[in-house]
Amino acid sequence: MTASTPTTGGMVRTIGPRTFDFSRQVAVMAIVNRTPDSFYDRGRTDALDAAVAAGLRAVHDGADWIDIGGAKFAPGPAIPVAEEIDRVVPVVAALADAGAVISVDTFHAEVAMEAIAAGAHVVNDTTGLSDPGMAAVLVETGASIVVTHSLAKPRTAHPSPRYDDVVAEVVDYLRDRVARAEAAGVASDRIIVDPGHDLNKHTLDSLELTRRLDEVVALGYPTLVALSNKDFVGESLGRRDRSQRVEGSIAAAVYSVMRGARIVRVHNVRETVDAMRMIEAIEGWREPVFLEHNR
């Protein structure tokens, strides 16, 4: 491990069909949202066949992981649990044999249980285990969990969040939620942490979290970053159009990996896969695919 890349916790993890050595490997998580109002694709993968096709395309493009969501994080009307299940479970079932890790983006224990039964391996909970029943689902099924920092209750606004020290407060929150999960019986090697860029945070907060990401990594759990096309990237670059944020998103992902992140959640799979594999080659974590130049 070079000096530029902080040591990450829980180096070797088997998650579903994949084994990752996070000391020398970066997992690319592809986003598939089956929602009519999703942040980035604006419903392009709302239909079942479109969502499944997007997942298969992501695997073809090199994604290690597919994250399936049926309700966005942003404020809005609550999505009934039964409707969320109807949105995500058929996609999980259709992609269960695709050879990738499958996660379900939900904060409902009931949705998590149904998705895991259909073939999901991970629960990606953007509310930091807000559902008191979630830990029991994880213990019963042995699924992994992404514990994410956010402040608002699910689907509610949190206007003008303020932090004295955003990184310290995020780290304390994650430490507390992880401790709760472990106390409930969730195995430590099933836990991943996510600082929650832009979730109840201003752009300067998200930039500070990125700059000091090694403090999150120091918690000792694999760190996921969900940076893709977010507003902090757009505001930093003056790009209101989300389709114009790809390069900034990749730059933020590369920087985060060099600070210790080992899972990157993205919309633009092929471009990000190439960036991550290039980091691995430069660091000496993997060999080039072929060697012909000046041979």
Side-chain angles (χ1 to χ4, degrees):
M1 183 72 66
T2 68
S4 61
T5 49
T7 300
T8 58
M11 294 298 183
V12 178
R13 292 284 187 99
T14 297
I15 308 173
R18 301 287 184 104
T19 297
F20 303 99
D21 180 352
F22 288 126
S23 71
R24 55 191 302 111
Q25 190 172 2
V26 180
V28 175
M29 172 195 279
I31 300 166
V32 175
N33 285 324
R34 194 178 178 197
T35 59
D37 57 351
S38 60
F39 163 82
Y40 182 72
D41 62 31
R42 303 301 190 190
R44 287 197 298 272
T45 55
D46 185 30
L48 175 58
D49 58 349
V52 173
L56 293 173
R57 185 166 57 252
V59 174
H60 178 268
D61 287 344
D64 306 287
W65 193 315
I66 306 168
D67 189 47
I68 301 164
K72 66 178 185 179
F73 175 84
I79 306 299
V81 168
E83 182 177 343
E84 189 179 345
I85 289 172
D86 286 344
R87 289 180 179 185
V88 300
V89 167
V91 185
V92 171
L95 295 173
D97 295 327
V101 175
I102 305 292
S103 58
V104 59
D105 181 353
T106 188
F107 51 82
H108 289 299
E110 188 176 348
V111 176
M113 179 63 86
E114 294 292 333
I116 293 165
H121 313 108
V122 184
V123 179
N124 183 15
D125 185 350
T126 54
T127 68
L129 298 169
S130 63
D131 187 331
M134 187 66 82
V137 169
L138 300 170
V139 172
E140 179 178 342
T141 63
S144 295
I145 178 73
V146 179
V147 179
T148 305
H149 174 274
S150 62
L151 297 175
K153 293 181 180 179
R155 303 289 287 168
T156 63
H158 194 292
S160 299
R162 293 290 184 269
Y163 301 89
D164 291 330
D165 182 332
V166 64
V167 180
E169 292 176 46
V170 166
V171 168
D172 286 347
Y173 173 101
L174 292 174
R175 184 184 291 112
D176 174 72
R177 295 304 171 99
V178 165
R180 291 189 201 182
E182 292 175 338
V186 178
S188 297
D189 65 357
R190 291 289 180 262
I191 296 173
I192 296 159
V193 296
D194 175 356
H197 286 80
D198 272 14
L199 303 187
N200 311 134
K201 301 171 186 73
H202 293 296
T203 286
L204 294 179
D205 297 327
S206 292
L207 290 170
E208 184 75 4
L209 275 170
T210 309
R211 192 176 302 122
R212 295 166 55 193
L213 190 68
D214 54 325
E215 295 176 44
V216 177
V217 173
L219 285 167
Y221 302 87
T223 298
L224 181 152
V225 288
L227 313 161
S228 185
N229 299 302
K230 286 194 168 177
D231 286 345
F232 88 96
V233 175
E235 291 185 7
S236 294
L237 300 176
R239 305 292 191 191
R240 295 187 184 276
D241 185 340
R242 289 169 180 153
S243 69
Q244 300 300 310
R245 301 176 183 178
V246 178
E247 295 87 350
S249 299
I250 292 174
V254 168
Y255 186 94
S256 295
V257 169
M258 301 313 291
R259 303 304 295 167
R262 288 297 179 267
I263 305 162
V264 293
R265 182 177 184 269
V266 303
H267 301 95
N268 307 98
V269 174
R270 185 192 60 78
E271 298 90 337
T272 309
V273 167
D274 279 1
M276 298 303 105
R277 301 303 168 250
M278 195 67 204
I279 291 173
E280 292 170 349
I282 292 168
E283 289 290 297
W285 300 344
R286 60 181 291 274
E287 293 297 319
V289 175
F290 56 84
L291 295 170
E292 295 177 351
H293 182 69
N294 282 343
R295 300 293 283 184

